[in-house]
């Protein structure tokens, strides 16, 4: 009895020949950290400089400038997180893969950032948000450098 024939790759020529998972993971983590930096800074600015004294949802003035700043800043934060993931994954040739992973990073970044900034604001106030922003920025730089190094390694392998 002979061995079964080797099955062709279902992705065909679009299949990468090198392992891109480390790059994707590092890029997405760096993007999530960048998103956390954005959201921590946004929440810090709104909490510190907006003069918001609302204690309940009924006390919030929907026409106040800080509400628009927070809403538009949150939307821009999601876009920023997706852009950072896209930027870090430059070595991934498939725009489809880069885009999908960037969307996942943007979703994860907004969920994690929302949870952490609310918790830190409640536990440590504005100083805690400033500290969270600084720590997230350092983590972003470290993970971003690792993602860039992995992208460079993949480029050297492809050449």
């Amino acid at each position: 009895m002979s061995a079964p024939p080797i099955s062709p790759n279902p992705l065909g020529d679009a299949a990468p020949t090198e392992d891109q998972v480390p790059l994707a993971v590092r890029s997405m983590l760096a993007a999530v950290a960048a998103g956390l930096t954005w959201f921590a800074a946004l929440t810090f600015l709104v909490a510190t400089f907006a003069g918001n004294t609302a204690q309940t949802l009924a006390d919030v003035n929907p026409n106040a400038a800080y509400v628009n700043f927070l809403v538009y800043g949150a939307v821009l934060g999601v876009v920023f997180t997706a852009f950072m993931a896209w930027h870090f994954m430059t070595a991934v040739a498939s725009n489809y893969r880069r885009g999908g992973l960037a969307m996942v990073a943007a979703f994860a970044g907004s969920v994690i950032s929302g949870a952490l900034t609310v918790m830190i604001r409640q536990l440590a106030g504005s100083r805690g948000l400033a500290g969270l922003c600084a720590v997230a920025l350092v983590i972003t730089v470290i993970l971003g450098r690792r993602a860039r190094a992995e992208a460079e390694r993949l480029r050297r392998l492809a050449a």
Side-chain angles (χ1 to χ4, degrees), residues 52-62 66:
N52 177 17
T53 57
Q55 298 298 317
T56 65
L57 190 57
D59 296 339
V60 175
N61 177 7
Y66 72 88

Side-chain angles (χ1 to χ4, degrees), residues 14-75:
T17 57
E18 63 281 333
D19 183 17
Q20 296 179 348
V21 173
L23 172 63
V25 170
R26 289 176 181 155
S27 298
M28 291 174 65
L29 289 175
V32 168
L36 180 59
T37 304
W38 178 284
F39 282 100
L42 176 68
T43 309
F44 174 78
L45 290 173
V46 169
T48 305
F49 299 112
N52 177 17
T53 57
Q55 298 298 317
T56 65
L57 190 57
D59 296 339
V60 175
N61 177 7
N63 298 320
Y66 72 88
V67 173
N68 287 328
F69 186 69
L70 188 61
V71 169
Y72 292 126
V75 171

Side-chain angles (χ1 to χ4, degrees), residues 4 6 50 64 71 94 123 132 134 141 153:
I6 296 174
V71 169
S94 171
L123 294 173
L132 176 64
V141 170
R153 186 186 72 78

Side-chain angles (χ1 to χ4, degrees), residues 33 35-41 43-44 112-121 124-140:
L36 180 59
T37 304
W38 178 284
F39 282 100
T43 309
F44 174 78
I112 291 169
S113 300
L116 279 176
T117 54
V118 168
M119 270 192 325
I120 296 296
R121 171 88 166 52
S126 293
R127 288 184 181 167
L129 287 172
L132 176 64
C133 185
V135 168
L137 183 61
V138 169
I139 292 170
T140 301

